[in-house]
Amino acid sequence: MRLLMLGGTGFVGGAVVHEAVRRGWSVTVFNRGLHGDAPEGVHRLRGDRTAPDGLAALDGGEWDLVVDTWDGAPRAVQDAARALRGVVPHYVYVSSGSVYAPPVGLGTDEDAPVVAAEADAGDGDYPHNKAGGERAAVEVFGDHALLVRAGLILGPGEDIGRLPWWLHRIARGGEVLAPGPRDLPVQYVDARDLATWLLDRGIEGVGGAYNVVSRTGHTTMGELLDAAVVVTGSDATLHWTEPDALLAAGVEPWNDLPIWIPLGHEYRWLQERNVERAHAAGLVCRPVAETVADTWHWLREVGQVPARAGRPARAAVGLAPDREAALLAALPA
């Protein structure tokens, strides 16, 4: 199989490239060549898809599958899809559950409405960029466009820093502010499982939209943080705290305490999406202990969360140490 990966040096793109190489595929990456690297044997094409004639390096190529993770202006997806029409039979666009139009209910499936976005838009916020990218892919490839609406993505290579923040924090030891309840269900996907699924479905020619993430409760906050304590070998003590106390203290779910979204919160749907379509189509999610252990092993090698390849940096996640200490001091013993 011949894969064209648009990007390929970031978190999800890197996972896709490594999985394709593991399978023995012929892999070509197209990017500006400014960030990261690719495994040995991967063919590199250079170009800036946002520049005039920036896709020229793709001329004359022929592939069996293209994967695109772009989250900037939808116009770049439209341009790439048009350039590859007739060159590649199937277009896989890695989108996001963020495309759903608010208010989003619990258990939302792929038939729910998405935000209004244009395929040729010059830019927008993240939901509109991803929705516009979806529209661009479908506009050109129709039923041969696979829209991969990922949820929370964890695993080695993570460039947002949610699981890495917890691992670094727990590794420091001491009393750790842990957002309760312990049995709060968590929904996520390991980037490697995401890559495996989209490549499998891509070569089968599957089209349409899929929520690609684990079932709600694949793990819990307790299992996740307990695994982090084990793999880091830390002496940390998890101070489990009820959601109401954290919210009253101004703690922001998802950002201040990454991954955590309590029941009843307006964004709880991010961890309670309907995923039966993807699981019926073969999605398999590895145990949380494996994701946590492999992410810690990777972190110890790289030292810190890498910059996002080719995209603006996002705000840092996680409580600052002094704020966490103040919150812990104010809580009942």
Side-chain angles (χ1 to χ4, degrees):
M1 295 297 297
R2 298 164 299 175
L3 171 69
L4 171 63
M5 181 73 226
L6 302 181
T9 59
F11 179 26
V12 174
V16 172
V17 168
H18 279 84
E19 173 60 19
V21 169
R22 186 194 68 79
R23 297 178 181 204
W25 290 12
S26 171
V27 180
T28 300
V29 295
F30 170 83
N31 54 51
R32 295 179 299 170
L34 302 178
H35 302 273
D37 204 350
E40 184 177 352
V42 170
H43 182 54
R44 298 168 176 83
L45 296 177
R46 294 291 177 252
D48 182 351
R49 62 193 297 174
T50 66
D53 298 321
L55 297 168
L58 300 178
D59 292 347
E62 189 174 350
W63 299 275
D64 300 303
L65 181 67
V66 59
V67 177
D68 189 358
T69 61
W70 183 257
D71 65 1
R75 185 184 303 159
V77 179
Q78 184 184 62
D79 290 344
R82 287 176 174 175
L84 293 167
R85 181 168 44 196
V87 173
V88 61
H90 204 69
Y91 202 103
V92 177
Y93 180 63
V94 181
S95 185
S96 167
S98 296
V99 299
Y100 292 114
V104 184
L106 302 182
T108 291
D109 67 15
E110 294 86 349
D111 296 325
V114 301
V115 297
E118 299 300 325
D120 61 353
D123 208 357
D125 60 17
Y126 183 75
H128 287 83
N129 283 343
K130 282 298 191 183
E134 286 191 0
R135 187 167 179 178
V138 172
E139 176 187 273
V140 178
F141 278 82
D143 293 339
H144 295 283
L146 175 60
L147 309 178
V148 182
R149 292 176 180 165
L152 169 64
I153 308 173
L154 303 177
E158 187 197 334
D159 55 8
I160 301 300
R162 296 186 177 101
L163 181 53
W165 182 85
W166 279 113
L167 286 162
H168 280 308
R169 171 61 195 93
I170 287 172
R172 291 203 312 268
E175 192 174 26
V176 176
L177 184 62
R182 284 184 61 100
D183 61 355
L184 179 72
V186 173
Q187 185 179 50
Y188 73 96
V189 65
D190 188 298
R192 297 164 294 179
D193 298 330
L194 175 66
T196 296
W197 186 89
L198 69 83
L199 289 178
D200 286 345
R201 302 295 78 77
I203 60 175
E204 291 173 355
V206 172
Y210 289 80
N211 290 335
V212 185
V213 63
S214 72
R215 291 185 172 93
T216 299
H218 178 69
T219 193
T220 63
M221 284 303 302
E223 291 169 346
L224 181 75
L225 299 191
D226 284 346
V229 172
V230 170
V231 302
T232 59
S234 173
D235 65 356
T237 300
L238 301 176
H239 188 126
W240 290 100
T241 306
E242 289 302 312
D244 288 348
L246 294 171
L247 296 173
V251 173
E252 185 177 352
W254 193 255
N255 293 324
D256 287 341
L257 292 175
I259 300 173
W260 174 67
I261 305 178
L263 299 178
H265 191 274
E266 63 176 316
Y267 292 122
R268 179 61 196 172
W269 65 268
L270 286 169
Q271 297 201 347
E272 293 197 34
R273 264 168 284 181
N274 183 300
V275 295
E276 293 314 306
R277 185 178 296 180
H279 284 263
L283 178 63
V284 176
C285 296
R286 70 192 65 205
V288 66
E290 184 176 337
T291 297
V292 172
D294 291 349
T295 303
W296 178 238
H297 177 75
W298 163 75
L299 268 179
R300 294 180 73 184
E301 289 183 339
V302 300
Q304 61 183 5
V305 175
R308 297 177 66 217
R311 300 295 297 147
R314 292 186 178 180
V317 298
L319 290 171
D322 56 347
R323 187 175 175 211
E324 183 194 12
L327 288 166
L328 285 166
L331 291 171

